[in-house]
Structure formats: C-alpha cells, structure tokens
Amino acid sequence: MKRLLPIFLLLALPVGSAQAATMEIASFSEKPGVSMSATLNYSWESCSGSCFGHFLHAYLTTPGSTCVQGGEPLVKFEELSSSGGAATQAITFLPRGSEGEVQLCAQVEDWELGPAGQSIAAVDSAITHTQGEIPGNIYNCSHFAYQDEAEEYLHKWPSDPSRLDGDHDGVACEELPRRLPPSPPPQSVSVPVPPTFHVYLACGLSSKARPAQSCARQQKKGAFFRASQAVTYTVCVRYPTGRQLCTRNQSAEAGVTYVNKITSNAIGSDRVTWRVAGHTVATRYLRIRG
C-alpha cells in the first residue's frame, strides 16, 4: 500500500516584481516634545500584467536596519493609482520612546502574483530624534501660533524648561489666541457594508490559472481568495482520509488575490473551506485524478 503524503498549506502572500519608482524624504522637521513631520516625494509606473497594485508605506524602525516591511506604521499600505503617477505627502507624528534616535523608512511597494514575490520598488530613510531628556530653554510664546499648542508643550514638560508659564498658574502663553473647537459633524446613521469574497480552486498557482473542479495528481493545486475589504481569513483542507489541515489568521488586503498551495497525492475529493471572523464564507471541492 502506498503511503499517503500530507497536504501542506503555505502562507499566502502577494507576489511580483519591482516596477520603476522613486522615493525621497524631501524634508524633516521637529518640535522637541510636541511633534515631528516629514515630506515625501514619490512616483511610480503603471501597474500591468499580474500586478495587483502599488502601495505607499512609511514607518519607524531601528537606525541602521534595512528598510523592509515592519516597524511602527505611520502610513500603512496606502493604495496608489494603478495608472502610475507622482505625489507629495506630508506626514506628522508624535515623538515616542526613550531618548535616542529612530529611523524613518518610506517606500513604494509593488505587489504582483508570480514567482518573484512582493517587492519594494523604491525606498528612502532618514534618522529622526525621539523623546528624550528635558530640553533647555529653546522656545518662547512667539514660536507657537495658538495658546493650545503652547499648552500641549507645557503638559509634555511640566517643569516648564522654556518658561512659558510666567505667572505659574498652570496656563501657558495666555496672550496667544485660542482655537475654537471644531463643530460636531451632523449625526448620521451609517450601515456597514459587509465584505464580499471571491474564491476558487485551480490547477496551478499563477494569476492565469483557471478555476477547476478536478486536477491530476502531478499538477500544482491552488486555493485562491480575494476580499472586497481588508480581512483576516483561515483556509482549511479536508482530504479523503478525513484528516484536516488549516492555515489560520492570514491577513488579506482589500482587492488583493492570495493563493494557498495545496499538495496531495491522495486520489479522491478534497474539501476546501474559507472562514472569516469564525464564519464559513465558502466551500469548494477539488477531485484529484490518478
């Protein structure tokens, strides 16, 4: 009797090759203890073939580390036009962490379905300062446009190193104008739109693989999944012996197709089930021929 080999479910990833793109951190500024900002200039070419899109990504990480996906996100996979283009974006973020430096990484990413995998098309980095020891007397009230900005700085540094609270009443720069609070938005009842899903099985792993209901034993087999919204999904395969294997908690971006590789030499019918938030969203069957 031949020994049946188990099915292996591989983690699904967007795959592809880098498209021509540019990325530049054009400027960086900071108010110690209050805010940091950077201006990003970037461009990217059109997305074609098996490309699923370009994305802008920016995050903080350890100085000297290679800029790859990770770190503390400041811009988390902002989708760029598939027709290509160029843009400038300013990002603002709060200082954090212990005294020292962090590295700001900004990059354009290219996602495709193919053997090369997801790739970084363009990247730039800059070293920024983090929150640290109490600064000296580096500001006066004229450095702030509004009283609430000075108040935020005083709350950040209650020892008042810049002496913004001259009469020591706990209020900074009382002579500055105060910003009026924004008007509350009109109340509206929004009905959430549930996500939709597109799933299929195929005899192959590329974006050109056609949906199929049966495959030969020697063919590659894939379980394809795409959602209209960003979700976390689980895919399980139950094969003829009754054994079931699952790959759980996989992140899927909206509109991106993911493929899980299925390997089995057991003749019979495999049942593939996709679940989101604990609910089954689809079940498909794939017959394995000898």
Side-chain angles (χ1 to χ4, degrees):
M1 179 180 294
K2 292 186 177 180
R3 183 182 179 185
L4 298 180
L5 298 178
I7 297 175
F8 295 93
L9 293 179
L10 304 183
L11 182 63
L13 292 174
V15 290
S17 58
Q19 303 286 328
T22 64
M23 167 57 70
E24 177 189 18
I25 300 177
S27 65
F28 175 78
S29 62
E30 63 178 325
K31 283 186 177 181
V34 178
S35 66
M36 299 180 179
S37 63
T39 300
L40 311 179
N41 293 336
Y42 50 98
S43 67
W44 64 100
E45 289 189 350
S46 61
C47 191
S48 60
S50 60
C51 175
F52 286 110
H54 289 91
F55 297 84
L56 174 65
H57 190 193
Y59 52 91
L60 298 178
T61 187
T62 305
S65 62
T66 303
C67 282
V68 295
Q69 287 187 16
E72 185 170 354
L74 305 174
V75 179
K76 188 176 181 180
F77 305 113
E78 179 178 306
E79 188 170 4
L80 304 177
S81 169
S82 61
S83 60
T88 296
Q89 180 171 156
I91 57 174
T92 301
F93 50 100
L94 297 175
R96 64 208 70 185
S98 58
E99 182 185 6
E101 295 178 332
V102 293
Q103 182 172 265
L104 169 63
C105 292
Q107 59 200 42
V108 173
E109 295 186 10
D110 171 58
W111 289 9
E112 290 190 43
L113 188 65
Q118 179 180 330
S119 57
I120 297 173
V123 64
D124 196 13
S125 63
I127 299 297
T128 75
H129 295 280
T130 65
Q131 182 63 60
E133 59 183 298
I134 297 175
N137 185 359
I138 57 177
Y139 288 122
N140 55 50
C141 289
S142 64
H143 286 97
F144 300 92
Y146 296 98
Q147 189 275 333
D148 54 310
E149 291 181 341
E151 193 79 9
E152 288 178 6
Y153 188 82
L154 180 61
H155 288 167
K156 190 72 178 180
W157 303 108
S159 62
D160 196 14
S162 288
R163 302 171 188 172
L164 303 179
D165 180 15
D167 55 5
H168 306 292
D169 64 351
V171 181
C173 301
E174 297 173 81
E175 68 276 12
L176 290 177
R178 296 171 181 260
R179 282 185 287 200
L180 295 176
S183 300
Q187 296 295 323
S188 61
V189 178
S190 59
V191 179
V193 178
T196 58
F197 307 100
H198 178 62
V199 302
Y200 61 94
L201 304 175
C203 304
L205 301 175
S206 76
S207 60
K208 298 180 180 179
R210 299 284 186 178
Q213 296 181 342
S214 67
C215 298
R217 291 174 58 186
Q218 68 273 19
Q219 287 182 292
K220 294 181 179 179
K221 308 163 193 71
F224 291 76
F225 177 88
R226 183 172 72 245
S228 62
Q229 301 175 19
V231 298
T232 299
Y233 76 97
T234 293
V235 58
C236 297
V237 174
R238 184 181 183 90
Y239 52 102
T241 62
R243 187 180 179 187
Q244 177 170 282
L245 292 180
C246 297
T247 300
R248 307 178 187 277
N249 300 323
Q250 299 184 96
S251 296
E253 296 293 326
V256 179
T257 299
Y258 296 79
V259 57
N260 289 85
K261 183 179 180 181
I262 304 173
T263 302
S264 174
N265 67 351
I267 297 175
S269 183
D270 292 339
R271 185 183 71 186
V272 182
T273 303
W274 293 264
R275 298 190 183 97
V276 174
H279 300 286
T280 298
V281 299
T283 299
R284 298 289 186 272
Y285 292 86
L286 185 67
R287 184 170 61 87
I288 309 301
R289 308 186 307 269

